[in-house]
Amino acid sequence: MAAVQDFAAHAGLNGVIGGEMADVEAEGQPHDEATLQFIHIHKTAKLFQASARAGAILAVAPEAGLAALSQYALTAGLIFQITDDILNVVGDPARTGKSVGSDAAHAKATYPGLLGLEAARERGAQLRDQAHQQARRLPRNVGLWCSLVDFLLERDR
């Protein structure tokens, strides 16, 4: 029950649902980096975080482990979303399953749209480095956790 309650807390209006609402409301509107970060954290990163926390709660992880995993998962979710935004600019539709340029066509709040493609890539790399540091605080399988965020950043679909 604790895992379900925790997941619901992260996926509610202060989580994924709120992020999706903010994403829709930001379409076609001017936005700044704070708005963009709110959207990305809430619509994507909190889903990663809630999922990781649910597993850790079910495994009866100690509080310190749960906190470390929560930070790592939030960062991983941001990496996923930034990469998704980048792929919407330069991805191969045959690989991604999505048309290129749809975010720009809908004036969506994205890191490439706000900062430019190269700065978005740099932000993703900075977050990857941050996630590597966070992975070192996890109790084991550091290499696996680092490989996961490497994959999220380098994926092509």
Side-chain angles (χ1 to χ4, degrees), residues 72 132 135-148:
Y72 167 86
H132 282 190
R136 289 180 179 85
R137 293 195 319 250
L138 297 173
R140 57 180 174 254
N141 298 325
V142 172
L144 175 68
W145 297 115
C146 290
S147 294
L148 176 60

Side-chain angles (χ1 to χ4, degrees), residues 4-145:
V4 172
Q5 289 174 330
D6 190 81
F7 191 91
H10 285 85
L13 286 176
N14 291 323
V16 177
I17 295 169
E20 287 292 344
M21 286 174 44
D23 188 32
V24 170
E25 289 173 355
E27 282 187 29
Q29 302 297 316
H31 54 274
D32 56 16
E33 194 165 350
T35 301
L36 179 61
Q37 186 168 355
F38 177 90
I39 292 168
H40 279 54
I41 285 173
H42 289 80
K43 83 171 196 174
T44 305
K46 285 202 173 222
L47 181 60
F48 275 63
Q49 186 181 53
S51 300
R53 287 178 59 86
I57 290 167
L58 291 172
V60 193
E63 193 59 40
L66 182 61
L69 184 62
S70 292
Q71 290 178 342
Y72 167 86
L74 196 71
T75 304
L78 283 171
I79 294 167
F80 177 89
Q81 186 60 57
I82 289 171
T83 301
D84 197 61
D85 290 351
I86 291 169
L87 289 173
N88 193 270
V89 175
V90 297
D92 177 359
R95 304 243 341 126
T96 64
K98 298 189 256 181
S99 61
V100 172
S102 62
D103 287 345
H106 292 99
K108 296 197 60 89
T110 67
Y111 275 100
L114 184 66
L115 304 177
L117 189 57
E118 285 311 308
R121 286 182 170 141
E122 288 173 18
R123 179 66 53 88
Q126 291 167 351
L127 287 168
R128 179 206 50 222
D129 295 345
Q130 182 178 329
H132 282 190
Q133 291 298 320
Q134 292 166 338
R136 289 180 179 85
R137 293 195 319 250
L138 297 173
R140 57 180 174 254
N141 298 325
V142 172
L144 175 68
W145 297 115

